[in-house]
Amino acid sequence: MSDDVGPRLRSLRNLRGISQRELAKRCGVTHSSLSLIEQGKVSPSVSSLKKILDAIPISVGDFFTFELESRNQVFYSVDELPNVATNAVIYRLVGANRENRALSFMIETYPPGADTGREMIAHRGEEAGVVLEGRIEITIGAQVRELCPGDAYYFDTHVPHRFRNASDEPCRLVSCCTPASQF
């Protein structure tokens, strides 16, 4: 039997939100035996493993082939967020390395006087965001509004739009848009 049975069992149990004591009770195995199996100190027989897995429930075959972790990176440190900007605005893209991203999630920084360009932008999709600090003027079609920390927006991106920091302080916001931009 594979050496990773114990850690795999512990991960699956935690993923399902079952305590060690609860699983032991459900399958009729002692808590200490289950603990030793999860620590990799004892290797269960096939029939014992089946008994434990039936209490979760999951088949033995699925137990060994089930993806416990995503193949994609899940967590990112600040130095792993590339700046995908082409102008003075800093766009830190979360998940840039993920294949088949369905959205673009960014931390945006607008230095004083920075904007997305003189021309209005329009593309297929939706965008939403919230201002974290500073102020930003957003134009969406004929609507113009200056947003402050805590203020948010959500709009269809086929409507021409523009972002501009008219203040003398940097503005930071988080945003999400669909479909994912291919930077």
Side-chain angles (χ1 to χ4, degrees):
M1 207 173 292
S2 175
D3 289 340
D4 71 340
V5 169
R8 189 170 189 77
L9 179 59
R10 180 178 50 248
S11 295
L12 179 61
R13 179 181 56 73
N14 288 331
L15 184 68
R16 297 285 174 91
I18 305 169
S19 74
Q20 207 174 56
R21 287 192 189 282
E22 175 63 25
L23 182 57
K25 183 178 163 185
R26 285 185 192 180
C27 67
V29 172
T30 66
H31 175 253
S32 58
S33 295
L34 189 58
S35 176
L36 290 171
I37 292 169
E38 287 189 359
Q39 293 173 43
K41 293 181 178 178
V42 172
S43 184
S45 66
V46 173
S47 62
S48 293
L49 181 61
K50 182 175 182 340
K51 191 172 163 183
I52 294 166
L53 296 178
D54 284 347
I56 289 182
I58 188 171
S59 73
V60 174
D62 287 345
F63 173 73
F64 286 105
T65 58
F66 184 73
E67 289 285 334
L68 290 172
E69 294 184 19
S70 171
R71 294 178 191 253
N72 289 313
Q73 183 175 352
V74 176
F75 301 106
Y76 297 85
S77 60
V78 70
D79 60 334
E80 294 176 299
L81 304 177
N83 181 7
V84 295
T86 56
N87 56 20
V89 179
I90 299 168
Y91 297 104
R92 297 279 181 197
L93 180 62
V94 177
N97 61 345
R98 291 179 71 101
E99 291 184 33
N100 304 316
R101 268 185 305 111
L103 55 87
S104 290
F105 184 78
M106 295 183 285
I107 302 167
E108 302 179 28
T109 304
Y110 291 78
D115 62 36
T116 54
R118 295 178 67 91
E119 298 292 319
M120 300 276 272
I121 303 165
H123 51 92
R124 182 180 58 89
E126 296 181 316
E127 183 170 338
V130 63
V131 177
L132 300 176
E133 55 190 47
R135 297 186 318 260
I136 190 81
E137 178 188 277
I138 303 177
T139 304
I140 301 169
Q143 298 180 62
V144 179
R145 184 157 173 195
E146 184 176 83
L147 302 181
C148 298
D151 292 342
Y153 59 91
Y154 190 115
F155 65 96
D156 292 319
T157 55
H158 72 273
V159 177
H161 53 280
R162 178 179 185 230
F163 291 66
R164 181 172 76 102
N165 182 352
S167 77
D168 57 358
E169 295 178 15
C171 174
R172 282 189 26 164
L173 58 95
V174 292
S175 71
C176 183
C177 72
T178 63
S181 299
Q182 301 305 315
F183 295 102

